[in-house]
DNA sequence: CTCCCATATGCAAACACTTGCATATGGGAG
DNA sequence: CTCCCATATGCAAGTGTTTGCATATGGGAG
């Protein structure tokens, strides 16, 4: 039930269309919340019907109308209520580890190759995060203060990816 | 589509009932794959129909019959095919981080309290993993060799939880 | 001139997962 | 004596997510 709340978070600071949200998910919540455009558009429709959002249609030429959503009072209340009520510890479902568990069934180079592929992705994410971190650390004190909490989520991404890469080293040592 | 494959992994070494699998999930794959009993029973039924598993009914007194499933040749092939084909990088959907991102909307003690609650769970998991690690490290060389790959998945759990707890320290420093 | 990408939205079907309910017994704690 | 836990299985309804399809234009690369 949290895509709804993630959307409320992203619309809380400024209104936006489904497409805008798609970009904001990639840029801001990408590491800890994933959403496809189909999911977002459907959710926006439902949330509009439920009165959490308001929609303003902006006609455009040659393209479908841009539907700009903004959060309503009711939406804001729902967001606060959600933040204040406890969340479950997020569960992990990681197919790669299931494979590794049963890796004895295949040649170990198959597992190693897959680890190396995944490592590339994790290394790329870490690099993105480190760039963002540097940007934050170079901000002036006042601007910095406004991004303190997003920065903490970025730190989660950095520590998580570093742990992943440390683990990959252990795996490589064992499999080569 | 991986619950199916996780079940194949757990049945590959020895047959078992739905209830057995539930326990095996908790003991062995718990950190990286979660499954409820409803999901497992349904999946076993479907996989039996699809010919990946064979079922033998053991009558019992006072309890429902135990249905013991074992992997078929076709199931074994499906498992190998899955292990050999690349898996996507698993996506993270972490509500706690979405909350933290928007934490400025509420009193910071609310966020801090929630972090402390989650920390308990992660600390408990880490302790469980460290106990299992010690058990592994005390095994004799021969037995050790047989558990090398499961041990690597355990290491993933340990490094992951340690990173989580390191992050929690940063959050606490900031929020107090 | 064509192909791909960004912009911009959406439906429908299938698959996956959660939540609530339902049944039935034996054993231990309080 | 009652309540909870472990054993043992399952259906049904709802919620959430993925995958495939559909449309339409402008701009840049080759």
């Amino acid at each position: 039930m949290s895509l709804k709340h993630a959307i409320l978070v992203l619309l809380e600071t400024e209104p936006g269309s489904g497409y805008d949200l798609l970009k904001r998910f990639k840029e801001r919540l990408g590491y800890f919340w994933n959403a496809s455009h189909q999911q977002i558009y459907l959710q926006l429709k439902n949330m509009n019907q439920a009165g959490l959002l308001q929609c303003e249609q902006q006609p455009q030429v040659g393209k479908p109308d841009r539907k700009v959503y903004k959060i309503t009072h009711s939406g804001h209340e729902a967001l606060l209520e959600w933040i204040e009520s406890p969340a479950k510890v997020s569960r992990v479902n990681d197919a790669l580890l299931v494979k590794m568990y049963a890796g004895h069934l295949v040649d170990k180079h198959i597992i190693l190759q897959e680890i190396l592929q995944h490592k590339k992705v994790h290394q790329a994410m870490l690099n993105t995060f480190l760039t963002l971190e540097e940007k934050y650390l170079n901000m002036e004190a006042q601007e910095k203060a406004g991004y303190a909490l997003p920065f903490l989520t970025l730190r989660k991404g950095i520590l998580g990816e570093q742990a992943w890469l440390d683990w990959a080293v252990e795996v490589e040592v064992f499999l080569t």
Side-chain angles (χ1 to χ4, degrees), chain A residues 12-98:
Chain A
E12 196 270 331
T13 40
E14 87 186 294
S17 68
Y19 198 76
D20 292 334
L21 285 172
L22 187 65
K23 282 185 292 181
R24 286 185 208 174
F25 267 106
K26 277 182 194 159
E27 287 162 17
R28 300 183 206 175
L29 302 186
Y31 174 64
F32 47 91
W33 204 273
N34 292 276
S36 63
H37 81 269
Q38 292 92 334
Q39 253 181 298
I40 292 171
Y41 287 118
L42 183 62
Q43 200 57 241
L44 285 172
K45 194 178 116 183
N46 295 341
M47 289 166 74
N48 186 33
Q49 272 167 25
L52 301 172
L53 302 178
Q54 243 187 292
C55 176
E56 195 193 317
Q57 217 145 336
Q58 296 179 347
Q60 296 197 133
V61 191
K63 293 173 197 173
D65 295 353
R66 240 174 84 89
K67 292 188 186 172
V68 177
Y69 293 90
K70 66 178 165 189
I71 196 166
T72 62
H73 179 70
S74 152
H76 194 80
E77 296 223 315
L79 177 56
L80 289 185
E81 202 190 307
W82 174 72
I83 295 179
E84 284 170 13
S85 60
K88 287 184 193 167
V89 173
S90 79
R91 61 196 195 91
V92 187
N93 274 32
D94 192 332
L96 184 61
L97 287 168
V98 176

Side-chain angles (χ1 to χ4, degrees), chain A residues 132-150:
Chain A
L132 289 170
E133 186 182 38
E134 208 172 336
K135 213 175 273 179
Y136 171 82
L137 293 173
N138 288 330
M139 282 179 184
E140 281 171 53
Q142 213 178 7
E143 206 189 352
K144 237 179 189 168
Y147 286 105
L149 288 166

Side-chain angles (χ1 to χ4, degrees), chain A residues 94-114:
Chain A
D94 192 332
L96 184 61
L97 287 168
V98 176
K99 278 193 188 186
M100 172 128 324
Y101 194 93
H104 60 276
L105 298 171
V106 298
D107 187 294
K108 67 181 184 178
H109 291 97
I110 290 174
I111 305 292
L112 182 61
Q113 279 310 305
E114 179 127 43

